[in-house]
Amino acid sequence: MRCYRVGGSVRDELLGLPVHDADWVVVGATPGTLEQLGYRPVGKDFPVFLHPQTREEYALARTERKVGAGYCGFAFHAAPDVSLEQDLARRDLTINAMARDEHGALIDPYGGREDLEAGWLRHVTAAFAEDPVRILRLGRFLARFAPLGFKVAPETLALCREMVAAGEVDALVPERVWQELRRGLMEPAPQCMIELLRNCGALAKILPEIDVLFSVPQRADYHPEGDVGTHTLCVLAAAAHLELSESARFAALVHDVGKALTPAAEWPRHPHHDKNGEPVVVELYRRLRVPRQCAEVARLVTRYHLSVHRASGMRPGSLVTLLERLDAFRRPERLEAVLGACEADFRGRGGSPEQIAQTAERVPYRAAAAIRQAYAAASPVSARTFVEQGLRGPEIGRAVREARCQAVAASRDRSKFG
């Protein structure tokens, strides 16, 4: 029995990045062998075990064979005679198909180190085409490593296009799409994942609501960066630069989908795209089965991002109304995600995604400051105070609202006169 450290830990070590988790491949053993040594089985589809001390994952060397459509259509074979090279051959990218033996020697049968040094994301073998999830994973790795200068190898991009044309992407299930998409959104350059999916044709299959935006023009005085799709990439770059949460980044991705519904006769203006976009986003997040927190933030940002942008010029009553519509008093934890996505929208214009990702904040986003100040002033107002005064029914709601408006007005006066 021989154990090899494989995959991401070897890759990140060679890149000089922190190594958080290590995965291992075991050659020359059976499940019974590992269980006798105290390893605990955890794999459902193929033999994976947890080390009795380190709790790291140890998988038996295995091969795989395509037997059906989609990413679930595989038969796995794990046996003592499967070699390390055979196991590495089934991996997605050459940079993930390296190993170190017990002495620390690098084992690199598919040129992973050379591709690391040259900055290429390249498939290991043609078996890459058998699993459509690998297109999403490729996008995720591009979103992670593009800031380091990595690009997708031309032959790998061509293979992805062939996979899309063959209908492999059609077999993806919503849960898996969301799992990979959410991870890609949290990488340093999430816009690169969307660009890759679009370049190979997968975006039109997975997120057609986003793909269509690249053919929709906008007013150049507001959006010199280009069409709505390009603006969306810029907003994602800004969201990553601002280190926003997952829910805020998803909202940044989908916030302008309503512009695809604007009649061409009205271009490049997009009146009511906020209202028009709300049902589109609802359908999108239901289809992908997006978690409730992300889904609701995306809906609120899509519907109210224009209102948020105008907040610094609003009267106290309008600010309270906006806070109510954002459900800030009942669910304050969503407010920062909404404001973060709106700030990314504010900053995601005027340059390329790369320029925006590398540029610090140039001017303050006054709208967010106005809303935070209004919320801080209005949120302490409690209905209990008016119940104790004897008010009932609708009278309570009217009194709460009036008190909140007065609190916001007083706060504004204090900040004005200081």
Side-chain angles (χ1 to χ4, degrees), residues 1 31-41 49-56:
M1 185 177 94
T33 304
L34 292 181
E35 290 187 49
Q36 289 176 4
L37 294 172
Y39 289 76
R40 183 167 65 86
F49 299 81
L50 295 182
H51 190 282
Q53 278 81 46
T54 67
R55 315 305 292 174
E56 292 175 334

Side-chain angles (χ1 to χ4, degrees), residues 74-343:
F74 290 91
F76 298 95
H77 171 67
D81 61 345
V82 177
S83 69
L84 175 66
E85 287 73 16
Q86 287 176 304
D87 182 274
L88 295 176
R90 66 175 179 78
R91 297 174 184 269
D92 49 6
L93 303 176
T94 60
I95 64 171
N96 297 329
M98 297 180 285
R100 287 199 184 276
D101 65 17
E102 64 270 24
H103 305 295
L106 182 68
I107 301 169
D108 181 19
Y110 302 105
R113 184 167 194 170
E114 183 179 346
D115 281 344
L116 268 187
E117 293 172 351
W120 288 117
L121 299 177
R122 191 192 316 273
H123 63 283
V124 179
T125 70
F128 180 99
E130 297 177 347
D131 184 356
V133 171
R134 288 177 170 172
I135 296 179
L136 296 170
R137 282 174 53 83
L138 176 64
R140 177 160 59 84
F141 281 118
L142 184 62
R144 181 183 304 177
F145 293 125
L148 300 180
F150 277 76
K151 298 179 181 179
V152 175
E155 62 269 32
T156 300
L157 180 59
L159 186 58
C160 291
R161 288 171 175 161
E162 293 174 10
M163 294 168 66
V164 174
E168 281 288 338
V169 172
D170 299 335
L172 287 169
V173 298
E175 293 86 353
R176 196 59 193 271
V177 172
W178 172 248
Q179 179 183 352
E180 294 297 329
L181 178 63
R182 62 178 287 272
R183 295 175 72 181
L185 289 175
M186 293 308 295
E187 297 292 356
Q191 73 278 5
C192 293
M193 181 181 196
I194 303 303
E195 285 184 290
L196 181 276
L197 294 177
R198 178 170 179 259
N199 288 340
C200 72
L203 191 64
K205 302 282 188 176
I206 297 169
L207 289 169
E209 301 90 344
I210 304 301
D211 186 71
V212 72
L213 298 179
F214 289 88
S215 63
V216 178
Q218 303 180 104
R219 287 178 56 178
D221 51 341
Y222 281 104
H223 292 284
E225 69 277 3
D227 59 32
V228 183
T230 302
H231 169 62
T232 299
L233 298 180
C234 292
V235 175
L236 278 179
H241 177 76
L242 294 169
E243 299 182 344
L244 299 184
S245 66
E246 177 183 298
S247 57
R249 295 193 193 200
F250 179 63
L253 172 66
V254 304
H255 77 286
D256 263 352
V257 294
K259 290 182 177 179
L261 301 180
T262 305
E266 297 192 37
W267 290 350
R269 297 176 62 254
H270 294 279
H272 312 302
H273 74 270
D274 48 350
K275 297 178 183 178
N276 294 337
E278 184 176 8
V280 179
V281 165
V282 170
E283 173 59 30
L284 187 158
Y285 69 59
R286 285 177 177 170
R287 185 181 75 245
L288 290 186
R289 300 178 188 175
V290 174
R292 182 175 180 179
Q293 172 73 2
C294 284
E296 187 60 15
V297 170
R299 185 189 69 79
L300 291 172
V301 172
T302 301
R303 177 63 182 84
Y304 295 112
H305 64 279
L306 296 183
S307 297
V308 170
H309 292 331
R310 295 191 289 264
S312 61
M314 285 183 178
R315 295 179 177 179
S318 298
L319 280 169
V320 171
T321 297
L322 179 57
L323 288 169
E324 290 171 344
R325 289 174 175 171
L326 295 176
D327 207 11
F329 299 116
R330 292 195 315 130
R331 300 186 181 275
E333 70 279 0
R334 292 177 180 168
L335 182 59
E336 281 305 312
V338 169
L339 295 182
C342 291
E343 180 170 358

